[in-house]
Amino acid sequence: MKKIYLDNAATTPLRVEVRDKMAACDLEAFGNASAVYADGRAARKALEQARRIVAECLKVRAEEVYFTSGGSESDNWALKGIAFQHFKERGHLIVSSIEHPAIRNTCHFLAEIGFSVTELPVDALGRVRPDDVRQAIRSDTRLISVMTANNEVGTVEPIEEIGRIAREQGVPFHTDAVQAGGVLPLEDWSGVIDLLSLSAHKFHGPKGIGVLMIRNGTRIKPWLHGGEQEQGLRASTENVVGAVGLAEALRLSIADRDQAVSKVKALRDRLIDQVLHNIPDVKLNGSRDDRLPGNAHFSFLGVRSSELIPRLDLEGLEASAGSACTAGTYEPSYVLQAMQVPPEWQEGRLRLTLSDRNTEDEVNQAAEILSHTIHALRKS
Ligand SMILES: *Cc1c(COP(=O)(O)O)cnc(C)c1O
């Protein structure tokens, strides 16, 4: 059976060009980038080239790009690194109520050790209101962190506006841009962003490598103590192959972004239209317009995700509910709760996320599989 992979928000397959580039780098630049002999210098050169490429993609300076082990680490560093700058007197953080667990649980930890955290509400479509951000700012606010786009329902947040408010008020602004990397024009907004997280495996790069962009002048604590890597802020021998893969994946995504985005949007709209048209008692969650190009997130009345998703898997359709699943049971979605989706519309949720690898045929088949599976589940 041919599988249809519609879980690109969870991870994406590695691009062949990226794999080849990484393989070449692995052979030519295996050295420790801190070593002074030729093999070390080759690794250093490859690493700094990767950093420059990322910087160009984001329209920031090379020295503002720090490589990490992924999105979760970047998020942890941004929040704890800023908070720990104020460890003695503590203070206040502002986040949205629909952040990824890497932000959300970091905030829970910071609250445990004495920081206060404001979780901003979102509207029914999952959008943060910039005015709420403005009103939440206090004299002891250390950081504002609002994700660029939500990983469950795909809502794109008004990052530029929020960034401008933060700048105006002199509060550092972080955005978890992991879902937006290679897809949204982050380079147009980076002027008002002080810290930004990316993860390569969400844009057809390798797993285990990410970026935290830290604007020059941002006061932040070192993250890993040890050697002097990453300007002395994050110790550990650099993952040169990973960094090269991340840079190549980002560069290629941006090079054909316009084309890829319009293709994915067309596929997504086709999928949404078919599902809404063919299946009764279904709702699209999130915004129709302020939405990631590849995201479709539905609720089906009278169906449970924990039953739906394994059934779809049997038919070769790989998708998720969009939030944590432990031992086959699905925790309620705090994202849908924050959007005040009624409980009966929360049970049967399904996230289908596309990339430009997907085809129209796959979309048609997926809609068909979904339609008969939902029908069968409702009858049983
Ligand atoms: C996937 C994801 C992360 C975590 O990234 P990892 O590289 O898997 O640690 C963080 N934030 C968002 C919005 C994500 O989608």
Side-chain angles (χ1 to χ4, degrees), residues 291-308:
R291 177 173 215 110
L292 283 171
N295 177 294
H297 190 288
F298 301 103
S299 288
F300 302 96
L301 214 53
V303 172
R304 272 202 297 272
S305 304
S306 56
E307 289 170 0
L308 174 61

Side-chain angles (χ1 to χ4, degrees), residues 15 53-59 180-188 198 203-204 246-261 356:
R15 260 175 116 123
I53 292 171
V54 173
E56 275 165 32
C57 288
L58 295 175
K59 294 215 175 105
V183 176
L184 299 183
L186 297 172
E187 69 277 10
D188 292 348
L198 285 179
F203 48 83
H204 302 287
L246 181 148
E248 184 69 354
L250 188 60
R251 188 181 71 78
L252 291 171
S253 305
I254 291 178
D256 61 19
R257 186 170 62 194
D258 292 350
Q259 228 187 327
V261 164
D356 65 336

Side-chain angles (χ1 to χ4, degrees), residues 145-158:
S145 179
V146 175
M147 67 200 322
T148 311
N150 180 262
N151 47 294
E152 284 189 40
V153 297
T155 302
V156 177
E157 300 297 342

